Amino acid sequence: MKFGITSAVIFNTLILGFAFSQTGCATTGNQRSANTRTTMKAVEQDYIQAAAQLNATGESLEALVNPNQPDKKKPFEKYSRDVDRMKNLEKRLFEHADKMQAQQKNYFEEWRMQGNSYTNPQIQALSEQRRADLSAVFARIAEASVGVKGAFKAYMSDIAQIRTYLSTDLTPKGIESITPTVQKAIMDGDNLKGAVNPVLATIREAREELAQGDNK
């Protein structure tokens, strides 16, 4: 199975940095740009951590079904902790997405209204072009992120159900019977890790675009 990664999670979280930069006292374009780059850096780190945790969870699953592992209790306890860590990551990512869904449209609409306040048509055109450029950058992040929420939720459902199953049947026969499901979960985790790379690439592209904008 091949997955893209979440439009809602990345795009919405990035816009959160914009929205927060607009509250309180007025900020300059450079300040908004710097704040947004900081937010994108945090999102980038979140996804790097998520990829690392996917790797750790996969290793826990492999240890559980390893026939040469006589003591299954310790590997199961580690796996259970890894599932909890994945749940925390999921919660944080989707909370950001939910907050941003209501705010992303407002940010670009505010920028559009600001552009309409210019009396100099050249400055207005520059503002509109810059807004269009950034919108296109964020659109590329969204495109690279398509499918992550569903894929993440499906993966989380599988690893949670594997934990539930093994919590009541951590016997050799029980482990043997669920091994195909475990192997699929490991593969799905690998697909998610691989899908992170294009998302990280577009985040870096957006950060560079904002940094260049500071010098324009």
Side-chain angles (χ1 to χ4, degrees), residues 17-84:
F18 279 135
F20 283 172
S21 71
Q22 301 304 301
T23 59
C25 60
T27 58
T28 67
N30 285 347
Q31 287 171 325
R32 290 198 304 270
S33 178
N35 291 341
T36 302
R37 289 202 315 277
T38 298
T39 301
M40 284 193 285
K41 180 64 176 177
V43 173
E44 183 180 7
Q45 291 303 314
D46 284 345
Y47 269 87
I48 291 172
Q49 291 174 17
Q53 188 56 49
L54 283 165
N55 189 58
T57 305
E59 290 176 354
S60 294
L61 281 169
E62 288 175 351
L64 273 173
V65 299
N66 184 350
N68 297 320
Q69 172 61 260
D71 180 11
K72 299 297 185 181
K73 184 178 179 181
K74 288 184 179 179
F76 176 75
E77 289 173 349
K78 182 181 183 304
Y79 172 64
S80 185
R81 291 192 297 270
D82 285 332
V83 172
D84 288 336

Side-chain angles (χ1 to χ4, degrees), residues 1-20:
M1 265 170 97
K2 275 178 111 178
F3 299 117
I5 285 212
T6 181
S7 177
V9 171
I10 298 266
F11 183 78
N12 288 339
T13 306
L14 295 176
I15 301 301
L16 178 60
F18 279 135
F20 283 172

Side-chain angles (χ1 to χ4, degrees), residues 53-119:
Q53 188 56 49
L54 283 165
N55 189 58
T57 305
E59 290 176 354
S60 294
L61 281 169
E62 288 175 351
L64 273 173
V65 299
N66 184 350
N68 297 320
Q69 172 61 260
D71 180 11
K72 299 297 185 181
K73 184 178 179 181
K74 288 184 179 179
F76 176 75
E77 289 173 349
K78 182 181 183 304
Y79 172 64
S80 185
R81 291 192 297 270
D82 285 332
V83 172
D84 288 336
R85 292 188 184 104
M86 289 301 305
K87 282 186 174 181
N88 290 335
L89 282 168
E90 179 191 37
K91 182 174 183 291
R92 183 173 65 193
L93 288 170
F94 294 153
E95 278 180 351
H96 286 168
D98 290 342
K99 288 177 182 177
M100 286 336 321
Q101 209 162 18
Q103 297 181 32
Q104 62 188 19
K105 184 177 179 180
N106 292 339
Y107 174 76
F108 285 108
E109 178 63 17
E110 180 180 341
W111 194 338
R112 184 188 68 78
M113 292 174 64
Q114 181 188 51
N116 290 338
S117 70
Y118 293 120
T119 57

